[in-house]
Amino acid sequence: MRIGILTAGGDAPGLNAAVRAIGRSALSDGHEVVGIEDGWAGLLGDLRVRTLDRPALAGILQEGGTLLGSVRRDLDHPAGGREQVLASINKEFDAVVAIGGDGTLSVAEWLAQRGAPIVGVPKTLDNDLAETEYCIGFDTAVSIVAEALDRLHTTAASHHRVLVLETMGRSTGWVAALGGLAGGADYIVIPEFPVTMDDVVEHITRRHASGSSFSIVVVAEGVSLTSLGGVEPLDLPTDAVGRVQWASRSVGHFLADQLQQRTGYETRSTVLGYLQRGGSPSAHDRIYATRLGVAAYEAVCAGAFGSVPIVRNGDVVRASLADVTASVRAVPRDLYELCARFF
Ligand code: F6P
C-alpha cells in the first residue's frame, strides 16, 4: 500500500513520535510511506509530499513540532477544497492517516463519509476531543505549565505579589486545571466552571488575611471576560479557519488588573502562549503518540476507515471519527473539585 500521513491544526509535541510510529510500522510490512506537507494544504493543487523512509524517520521521536509542517487551511473558502482533497486522496493513496484536533478530524470524518480511506489520530494540547481520555501534546503542555508555576512561585514569594498565569485551551480548561494542580496554583479559573471577580477577590483576600504573602492564579484563555465583570470585545480576530483567537482578549491581563485594583496587592500577569506547544515531547506523550500511531496503522491494515484510535481506561481502542468530533470534552466537576481542594 501507499500510505500518506499528514499533520494539521495546531502543532504539539509528540506529532513526530506518531508519524514515526505509523511510518516505521508500515515500512516494516513493506508498504510505501509518504509524508503530506502542511496538512490538508499539501493535497490542494500540486501534491506536496516527501518520502518517509527509515532515514527520514530517524531521530524524530524526541523532536517537537512536526517534520511535515502544519498549516491551518479553510477548505470551504474558496469552495471546493474538500472535494479537491478527496480527489487527491483517492487518486494518490491507498490510505491516509490524519493526525489532528477537532478541526482536522472533522474534515477527516467528512472525507470518510464519502469513501476516502482515512484514519485519524487524536492530537491537541487542549485534550478536549470527545471519547478519548488523552490527546497527543497534552502531557507536555501540563508539564510546561507546572514548571512555569514553579518559577512563578519564587518570584511571587520574593516580591509578595499575586501572579496570574494565562494558559492555552481555546474553549476548555484541561491545561489550566491539571497544570495548576501540578504547579500548586492557589486559584484556577476555567470556562467550564465560571466564577465572578468577587469570588476571586474574596479568595485571594482571605488567603492574605490568613498569612499568605503571595498567591498564584491560573486562568484559561477561553474564560469569558463577562463572567469576570468585563466586556467581550465585538471584533475578535479569527484564525485561518474562522475560529476566534481567544488569547487576543488577554483574559490573564484583565484578571490581574482587576485583582490589583480590587485588593490593592501588587499583581502581575504572564501569558504562556506558544511555549505550551513548543519543544521536545514528554515521555508520556512519546509513549501515547507511539501507541496511537501503531493503532492507527493497524486500523489502516484492517480497512477500518473512518475510525480513530483513542485512549479509554488507559487502553488504546478504536472509536469513530464521528463520535470523537461530535462534541467537546469538558473538564468534569470532580476533577475541578479536586483542584479546588488546594485553593
Ligand atoms: O487548539 C490548540 C491551540 O493551541 C489552542 O489552545 C489555541 O487557542 C490555538 O490552538 C491557537 O491556534 P493558532 O496556533 O492557530 O494560533
Side-chain angles (χ1 to χ4, degrees):
M1 286 188 287
R2 175 173 158 95
I3 301 172
I5 305 174
L6 68 86
T7 56
D11 75 315
L15 276 173
N16 286 327
V19 172
R20 169 182 176 271
I22 301 158
R24 289 277 298 269
S25 301
L27 290 171
S28 63
D29 288 346
H31 299 300
E32 179 189 2
V33 184
V34 175
I36 299 165
E37 297 183 344
D38 292 337
W40 302 117
L43 294 168
L44 295 173
D46 296 334
L47 202 59
R48 287 190 289 119
V49 296
R50 67 175 69 176
T51 300
L52 291 180
D53 52 18
R54 283 295 295 264
L57 295 171
I60 66 170
L61 172 63
Q62 72 281 10
E63 290 299 314
T66 164
L67 80 163
L68 300 179
S70 181
V71 167
R72 290 194 194 277
R73 175 60 64 89
D74 184 347
L75 296 175
D76 299 319
H77 299 92
R82 292 170 187 253
E83 290 76 7
Q84 275 189 62
V85 166
L86 179 61
S88 289
I89 290 174
N90 288 331
K91 175 171 178 279
E92 300 288 346
F93 300 100
D94 299 302
V96 167
V97 180
I99 309 172
D102 54 355
T104 304
L105 298 187
S106 296
V107 171
E109 161 62 7
W110 185 93
L111 294 164
Q113 282 177 358
R114 288 154 182 80
I118 194 163
V119 168
V121 175
K123 172 279 310 169
T124 174
L125 76 84
D126 300 356
N127 199 47
D128 56 8
L129 285 168
E131 299 293 320
T132 183
E133 293 163 6
Y134 191 78
C135 299
I136 295 168
F138 177 58
D139 180 70
T140 306
V142 168
S143 302
I144 291 167
V145 171
E147 183 194 347
L149 288 171
D150 292 348
R151 293 177 182 278
L152 291 178
H153 266 88
T154 62
T155 180
S158 303
H159 287 269
H160 320 299
R161 282 173 169 165
V162 177
L163 285 183
V164 176
L165 179 68
E166 180 184 317
T167 71
M168 279 186 161
R170 195 188 293 286
S171 52
T172 57
W174 286 97
V175 176
L178 291 192
L181 182 64
D186 302 307
Y187 207 80
I188 302 170
V189 186
I190 61 176
E192 293 91 331
F193 301 100
V195 296
T196 65
M197 199 64 226
D198 288 345
D199 295 328
V200 188
V201 168
E202 282 162 23
H203 181 77
I204 299 301
T205 304
R206 197 162 48 243
R207 266 182 53 83
H208 288 227
S210 61
S212 299
S213 68
F214 69 94
S215 294
I216 307 277
V217 178
V218 175
V219 60
E221 63 178 342
V223 165
S224 92
L225 288 173
T226 312
S227 64
L228 294 172
V231 177
E232 288 294 339
L234 295 175
D235 53 346
L236 287 172
T238 57
D239 63 19
V241 293
R243 292 191 297 190
V244 170
Q245 293 178 300
W246 294 115
S248 64
R249 296 143 66 251
S250 302
V251 66
H253 293 318
F254 175 82
L255 184 53
D257 289 346
Q258 290 296 304
L259 270 172
Q260 178 156 305
Q261 284 178 37
R262 300 271 302 265
T263 65
Y265 305 142
E266 237 192 326
T267 308
R268 297 289 189 274
S269 61
T270 299
V271 178
L272 261 185
Y274 294 86
L275 288 170
Q276 297 160 96
R277 290 194 353 206
S280 180
S282 65
H284 187 90
D285 263 324
R286 300 180 197 190
I287 290 163
Y288 272 88
T290 299
R291 293 183 66 186
L292 290 165
V294 169
Y297 168 68
E298 290 168 347
V300 165
C301 294
F305 300 123
S307 74
V308 50
I310 61 162
V311 179
R312 183 176 293 150
N313 302 323
D315 295 325
V316 176
V317 298
R318 213 172 276 168
S320 71
L321 284 166
D323 290 345
V324 165
T325 55
S327 60
V328 170
R329 191 173 71 107
V331 173
R333 177 170 295 278
D334 61 341
L335 179 57
Y336 188 65
E337 287 175 349
L338 169 67
C339 297
R341 280 177 175 271
F342 302 93
F343 290 174

